[in-house]
């Protein structure tokens, strides 16, 4: 009988979400994971299989814990400005990095990203009663604002153009 696990798997995955969300997949080494998560290398491999295995679990956790609640919030968006505010204030760091860095080279990541972005588009389309292509454009604008790194000023400027009375 093996020794009991000396770490909380749930806490390790949440810590991995933060680490990958802050530095991206290629910016995180196995040594970084071992020290940041506080697990032994053998435990990491035994529990998650590989760095990629942990990354996929962390990405799915991020989508469940951080992105899916955004979908619920978007259902209550009354206008494009409200939807834009919701998307640009959500913690989407890992989703953005997965979209840019991993999706082009990893089919499994691409599938996860594609599905969640389609769900965001659909939530916006449903909430605002707009066509899917317009909702996708709003999602793209919001994600672009986040990528540019100054969401407060850019969001405010775009919202003023969308709703001059905001």
């Amino acid at each position: 009988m093996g020794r009991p696990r000396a770490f909380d798997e749930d806490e390790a995955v949440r810590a991995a979400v933060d680490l990958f969300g802050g530095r991206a997949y290629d910016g995180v080494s196995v040594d970084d994971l071992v020290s940041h998560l506080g697990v032994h290398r053998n435990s990491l491999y035994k529990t998650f299989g590989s760095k990629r295995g942990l990354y996929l679990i962390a990405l799915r956790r991020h989508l469940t814990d951080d992105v899916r609640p955004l979908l619920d919030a978007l259902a209550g968006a009354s206008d494009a400005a409200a939807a834009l505010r919701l998307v640009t204030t959500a913690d989407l760091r890992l989703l953005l990095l997965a979209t840019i860095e991993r999706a082009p080279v990893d089919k499994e990541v691409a599938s996860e990203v594609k599905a969640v972005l389609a769900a965001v588009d659909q939530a916006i389309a449903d909430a605002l009663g707009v066509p899917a292509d317009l909702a996708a454009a709003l999602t793209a604008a919001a994600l672009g604002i986040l990528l540019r790194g100054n969401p407060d000023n850019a969001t405010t400027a775009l919202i003023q153009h969308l709703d001059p009375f905001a």
Side-chain angles (χ1 to χ4, degrees):
M1 184 169 169
R3 289 190 338 214
R5 200 175 279 157
F7 69 95
D8 182 318
E9 187 175 330
D10 192 57
E11 287 178 20
V13 171
R14 179 48 58 194
V17 168
D18 292 339
L19 191 59
F20 286 125
R23 294 176 30 200
Y25 182 85
D26 287 338
V28 175
S29 69
V30 173
D31 287 339
D32 294 332
L33 290 168
V34 167
S35 64
H36 190 77
L37 276 57
V39 301
H40 293 284
R41 183 179 296 268
N42 289 343
S43 296
L44 187 140
Y45 284 112
K46 184 174 182 169
T47 304
F48 304 109
S50 64
K51 173 183 164 183
R52 181 179 178 274
L54 175 56
Y55 178 82
L56 289 170
I57 291 168
L59 176 61
R60 290 178 183 127
R61 171 68 59 81
H62 170 62
L63 298 179
T64 299
D65 291 356
D66 302 321
V67 181
R68 294 288 174 197
L70 171 63
L71 301 177
D72 295 334
L74 284 169
S78 57
D79 57 34
L84 186 63
R85 257 190 223 96
L86 287 168
V87 174
T88 59
T89 57
D91 180 3
L92 302 178
R93 292 174 301 151
L94 184 50
L95 173 61
L96 290 171
L97 290 171
T99 302
I100 295 165
E101 181 195 34
R102 299 303 306 157
V105 297
D106 187 319
K107 289 180 182 180
E108 203 167 351
V109 172
S111 176
E112 295 283 347
V113 165
K114 182 179 178 181
V116 79
L117 290 179
V120 171
D121 294 344
Q122 191 60 54
I124 291 172
D126 292 346
L128 303 181
V130 298
D133 58 345
L134 183 56
L138 185 58
T139 300
L143 295 178
I145 287 169
L146 289 173
L147 285 173
R148 293 192 68 164
N150 191 358
D152 293 335
N153 291 340
T155 301
T156 300
L158 187 54
I159 287 171
Q160 287 174 344
H161 288 289
L162 293 171
D163 181 4
F165 301 108

